[in-house]
Amino acid sequence: MTPHFTLAELTHTDHRSLDNTPNAGELANLQRLAEFLETVKTTLGGKPIMINSAFRSKAVNDAVGSRDNSQHRLGLAADFRVPSMAPDAVVRALLKLPYDQIIREFDAWTHISISDKPRRQALIIDKLGTRPFV
C-alpha cells in the first residue's frame, strides 16, 4: 500500500478462522490510512511502528468485543506501538496532525483514526475509564 505499511499488516488478525477481507470501499479507506500512517512515521522521526490492529471485519470486530461503530470497521483506524516510545510520548508527538481521534489506550498502545471531518479528539482509556488527554 505504501513503503512502510502493507495490506497484510493492516488486515492481520489473530482470529484466523474469521474472514477479515475488506471490500472495495474499506480497501480505499485502508489506502488513506496507510498514507496517513506514513505521516505518523515521519512525524515520529522514522521510528518503527508496529500495527496491533487496523481493519476489522464485523466478525473480527465482534470477536474482540469492539463497538459496531468502531472506525476499525471502516478501515479508518489503527492501534499501534512504537517500541522506543511510551504511548504518552507518541500521543504528544502526534497532536499536531489532522487525526479524528487519538487515544492512549491502557498505557500500552496508541489508537489513531482519520476522517473527512477530523474531530481532533485526544483521549485516554484505561482502567479508570475514558477522559480527555491533557
Side-chain angles (χ1 to χ4, degrees):
M1 300 197 92
T2 64
H4 298 102
F5 300 97
T6 66
L7 179 60
E9 181 177 30
L10 296 176
T11 58
H12 171 79
T13 179
D14 290 336
H15 298 277
R16 293 185 183 106
S17 63
L18 301 175
D19 183 23
N20 201 42
T21 305
N23 65 32
E26 294 158 347
L27 191 58
N29 286 342
L30 282 170
Q31 182 64 46
R32 287 179 49 210
L33 179 64
E35 291 166 7
F36 182 75
L37 289 170
E38 290 290 344
T39 302
V40 167
K41 184 173 181 67
T42 299
T43 302
L44 297 176
K47 291 180 172 59
I49 293 175
M50 313 301 288
I51 303 295
N52 298 344
S53 177
F55 174 73
R56 296 184 197 142
S57 66
K58 171 127 176 70
V60 170
N61 201 58
D62 289 349
V64 301
S66 188
R67 297 179 185 168
D68 281 338
N69 65 348
S70 168
Q71 288 173 298
H72 288 278
R73 288 278 301 111
L74 303 172
L76 294 172
D79 296 340
F80 65 94
R81 294 173 291 106
V82 180
S84 62
M85 295 179 74
D88 195 68
V90 171
V91 171
R92 288 193 191 290
L94 300 178
L95 287 173
K96 63 185 174 187
L97 296 182
Y99 58 86
D100 186 52
Q101 283 187 320
I102 191 164
I103 307 171
R104 187 191 81 198
E105 294 194 41
F106 302 97
D107 207 25
W109 67 86
T110 303
H111 165 98
I112 198 159
S113 64
I114 58 174
S115 75
D116 292 332
K117 295 180 181 178
R119 295 174 288 171
R120 297 188 49 83
Q121 257 186 351
L123 303 169
I124 295 170
I125 295 176
D126 58 20
K127 64 182 180 178
L128 300 176
T130 302
R131 59 193 179 280
F133 183 93
V134 288

